[in-house]
Amino acid sequence: MDVICVTNKKIAEENSLDFYALIERIARERPKKIILREKYLSEEEYEIVAEKCIEACRKHEIDFVVNKFIKTAINLNIKSVHLSFKDFFERKNELSFFERIGVSVHSAEEAAAAEKNGACYVIAGHIFKTDCKKGVLPRGIKFLEEVLNSVTIPVYAIGGITARNVSEVRKTSASGVCLMSSLMKSENPFNILESIKNSV
């Protein structure tokens, strides 16, 4: 099962981790993609962080994905971008530069619309309970199945994915899962990635 790493520099730093060293260690384990999500940064700040993360991804031949900041991706010649469903449709006319476009979706209808309008993959969530969405009920495996049945492009599950519950995702036709908090808190991402990949 493919694993996408979604970053959160704040979480890493709150856990006294060197964010850039962590990105290097994660890239070394060859996840499917690393999405630099840092939504709280200004675009100028984001571009500085992105420049520092690109090298590790290129060295280990990982697809580095810019989240939200289209101008930064173009400036840095990054051909992969990930967008919210809203941004995807509002900024469709700005996306001709990109070879790979991912979209976050929260319903089967959104997933189908994203595919129809050129998305290469979607990330669907949140599937399980997660601290990142405190007080918000998870959508569950049934929701994931609905998304999967609505599209032919790859679907990745996000939200509360752990080695204990990933087997439920594995039973579906999802292409993989996304991890954020667990990786951003870990001094040894190898163990987390291996536990996800090897779970049955």
Side-chain angles (χ1 to χ4, degrees), residues 5-196:
C5 167
V6 181
T7 75
N8 188 315
K9 190 169 179 282
K10 274 187 177 179
I11 292 177
E13 291 172 347
E14 285 168 1
N15 286 272
S16 302
L17 296 173
D18 181 324
F19 176 70
Y20 300 109
L22 180 58
I23 293 299
E24 167 66 33
R25 290 197 296 274
I26 292 170
R28 193 185 305 147
E29 301 307 322
R30 306 293 302 278
K32 179 75 173 178
K33 306 174 188 292
I34 293 180
I35 300 176
L36 189 69
R37 187 171 180 267
E38 316 303 321
K39 292 163 75 172
Y40 60 93
L41 296 177
S42 68
E43 182 142 20
E44 293 75 17
E45 292 168 329
Y46 182 95
E47 186 163 333
I48 292 168
V49 174
E51 283 185 295
K52 293 180 179 180
C53 294
I54 290 168
E55 186 178 345
C57 291
R58 285 178 174 160
K59 181 167 71 173
H60 297 287
E61 299 180 331
I62 305 300
D63 187 23
F64 178 81
V65 184
V66 166
N67 184 77
K68 181 181 177 181
F69 294 114
I70 292 171
K71 180 182 173 184
T72 290
I74 294 171
N75 287 347
L76 299 178
N77 196 33
I78 302 299
K79 299 285 188 175
S80 298
V81 69
H82 189 88
L83 300 168
S84 68
F85 182 78
K86 180 174 178 284
D87 283 351
F88 176 61
F89 278 92
E90 288 182 353
R91 305 185 70 181
K92 269 199 311 181
N93 295 335
E94 302 174 53
L95 302 179
S96 60
F97 171 82
F98 297 99
E99 296 174 357
R100 294 167 295 279
I101 302 168
V103 180
S104 293
V105 299
H106 300 96
S107 70
E109 293 75 18
E110 286 185 357
E115 178 178 30
K116 183 178 179 181
N117 285 274
C120 301
Y121 68 91
V122 295
I123 293 178
H126 64 291
I127 305 304
F128 302 112
K129 184 178 178 182
T130 171
D131 287 343
C132 295
K133 302 280 186 181
K134 284 184 178 178
V136 182
L137 289 175
R139 292 183 169 88
I141 293 296
K142 183 180 178 183
F143 156 75
L144 179 60
E145 292 278 16
E146 290 170 354
V147 171
L148 287 161
N149 290 335
S150 72
V151 297
T152 60
I153 56 176
V155 176
Y156 296 89
I158 194 169
I161 309 290
T162 68
R164 293 186 299 276
N165 60 30
V166 72
S167 60
E168 295 182 52
V169 178
R170 197 182 290 279
K171 290 173 186 173
T172 74
S173 59
S175 295
V177 297
C178 301
L179 303 180
M180 184 178 74
S181 298
S182 60
L183 287 177
M184 293 295 103
K185 293 177 181 178
S186 176
E187 292 183 358
N188 191 351
F190 169 80
N191 289 343
I192 293 169
L193 291 166
E194 283 299 294
S195 69
I196 293 291

